Structure formats: C-alpha cells, structure tokens
Amino acid sequence: MMPDHLVIAIDGPAASGKGTLARRLAGHFGLNHLDTGLTYRAVAKALIDARLPLDDEAEAEKAARAVDLTSLDREVLSAHGVGEAASKVAVMTPVRGALVEKQREFAAQPPGAVLDGRDIGTVVFPDADVKLYVTASAAVRAERRWREILDGGGEADYAEILADVERRDARDMNRAISPLKPAADAHLLDTSEMDIETAFLTARSLIEKALAARSKV
Ligand code: C5P
C-alpha cells in the first residue's frame, strides 16, 4: 500500500544512471522529482558566470541561498565542466547547509518526492521510506558519458572522461562532510551489466517490496 507521503532517496556516483532512474521512478509512483546535483551545479555556474573563484566560501554560500529550485536549467547546467566545478563547491559546509534546507522543503510538499544525489539517504533524509544506492564500474560510467557526448554531436576523449569520473569519485567519496557512501539500510543496485529498462524494473520491484514489508509492520 502507498503511504500518503513518500520519500525515496537515490544515491550513487556520477553517471551511474541514478538520474534517469529517479525520473522514471518518480513518474511511476506519482511523486515529485529533484536532481540535487543540479542544485550544486547551479552554485558552481553562478560563481563561474560572475568570474569568482570556486573556493570563495562567502560568495558560494550567497549563491547557494539564491538557488531557485523552480528554475534549474538542466540544459545549461549539464555541461561536463560544470559537474567538475560543482564537486568543488560541494565540499563547503555552508553551501551544503543552504542547499539541504531547500531539498528538504521540496520533499515535504505533497505527495512526496524522489531525490537523487550523493547524501540523500545518509544526511538529507536518513528516515527516507526507501533508499537505493545505484552504482556501476568507473569504466562503464565513463563509456556512458562518452557515448552521450558523441550522440549529442560533440567530441570527447574516453581516457579523459574516465580520468574525470575517477577524480570526481575520489573527491565525492573522500570529502570530510557528507561523503558519498551507501546508507547502512540502502538497497544496492549495480547497473554495470543492465540497460536502463532492466535497472528501472529492478529498482521498482525493490521499492514495491520495501513498501509492502513496511505496511505489514
Ligand atoms: O549528480 P551530479 O553529477 O550532477 O552532481 C554534481 C556534483 O555535485 C557531484 O560531483 C557532487 O560533488 C555534488 N553533489 C553533492 N551532493 C548531492 C548531489 C551532488 O555533493 N546530493
């Protein structure tokens, strides 16, 4: 049975497929969706556009407070370089504080939400109804990113993308505050050998089972 208000937390590294999964799951369960990576990207983009250094904590906090969740432009924010810059501003405590507050307000709106990011199940919603940790090998994730760029008509070097993916993983997993890691009660989903449809069906069934188990308690 579906609870009245539902929060589903989806975490995982860059290009694990968690964003696509989160969008589809939100559609399936009739929930709102927030890609929290876009909020960190919006802060980085604001600093880049204002030609400010990415380690200026006061300006980064100001930019974080000004982020408007209703006007996050995925097209503009999805650039590869913005993701790299986002992982630099994401290490700052005041930036995370401001963004996490907005993410919690978003998910509090009925009927609840699917949020995807790095720290949703561990920090933003430790009491989420269901938590998934979506991963895939670095090589597979780099190849997906590489194909995405080629399919969009761009040019990309696979070795460079793999190096970027590994560098970003290291930064996200080893930072002092809210590092990327599975919550103790997260369901693990490795999509290395799965297409998106299989990943979606697997995630959907994990969520349905978790909700059914909960409603029996
Ligand atoms: O998911 P995406 O690649 O758009 O995220 C960009 C960067 O934002 C990540 O590499 C990570 O450093 C940061 N991030 C985070 N916490 C989140 C979502 C994203 O630290 N919940």
Side-chain angles (χ1 to χ4, degrees), residues 8-12 21 121 128-135 182-190 202-203 205-211 213-214:
I8 299 177
I10 305 193
D11 291 303
L21 261 184
D129 297 280
V130 189
K131 301 177 187 178
L132 298 185
Y133 188 85
V134 183
T135 188
D185 52 350
H187 301 273
L188 302 184
L189 183 60
D190 187 331
T202 311
S205 117
L206 278 172
I207 293 168
E208 281 164 352
K209 275 190 201 135
L211 293 176
R214 249 184 37 146

Side-chain angles (χ1 to χ4, degrees), residues 13-216:
S16 56
K18 64 182 189 310
T20 312
L21 261 184
R23 232 183 341 271
R24 287 203 49 188
L25 290 168
H28 176 79
F29 290 102
L31 298 168
N32 299 318
H33 169 234
L34 179 64
D35 171 353
T36 62
L38 290 181
T39 65
Y40 292 89
R41 286 170 180 262
V43 174
K45 182 77 169 56
L47 295 182
I48 294 169
D49 287 350
R51 296 183 189 284
L52 289 164
L54 292 169
D55 60 356
D56 185 329
E57 195 165 287
E59 288 294 339
E61 179 180 359
K62 238 194 264 172
R65 293 199 180 285
V67 167
D68 176 1
L69 297 193
T70 62
S71 65
L72 296 169
D73 186 340
R74 170 174 298 278
E75 193 88 355
V76 171
L77 297 174
S78 68
H80 191 62
V82 179
E84 177 78 9
S87 71
K88 294 183 181 159
V89 302
V91 303
M92 297 181 225
T93 304
V95 169
R96 301 201 72 86
L99 295 180
V100 165
E101 198 179 309
K102 290 176 196 276
Q103 294 161 12
R104 288 185 178 141
E105 279 167 14
F106 178 88
Q109 291 159 33
V114 179
L115 287 91
D116 68 278
R118 302 290 189 289
D119 61 339
I120 309 302
T122 51
V123 174
V124 185
F125 281 103
D127 297 328
D129 297 280
V130 189
K131 301 177 187 178
L132 298 185
Y133 188 85
V134 183
T135 188
S137 71
V140 165
R141 290 184 286 123
E143 185 175 342
R144 285 178 188 161
R145 220 1 85 83
W146 180 66
R147 284 199 187 284
E148 225 171 68
I149 297 174
L150 296 191
D151 289 349
E155 277 179 33
D157 180 63
Y158 172 78
E160 243 173 61
I161 296 202
L162 178 60
D164 272 5
V165 162
E166 288 174 338
R167 197 169 45 237
R168 192 122 72 88
D169 283 357
R171 198 177 289 136
D172 288 348
M173 290 173 180
N174 298 320
R175 68 183 173 217
I177 166 174
S178 306
L180 169 65
K181 61 171 180 199
D185 52 350
H187 301 273
L188 302 184
L189 183 60
D190 187 331
T191 67
S192 302
E193 314 265 313
M194 288 181 191
D195 58 20
I196 184 62
E197 192 57 28
T198 312
F200 168 69
L201 294 173
T202 311
R204 191 180 78 183
S205 117
L206 278 172
I207 293 168
E208 281 164 352
K209 275 190 201 135
L211 293 176
R214 249 184 37 146
S215 68
K216 280 193 201 118

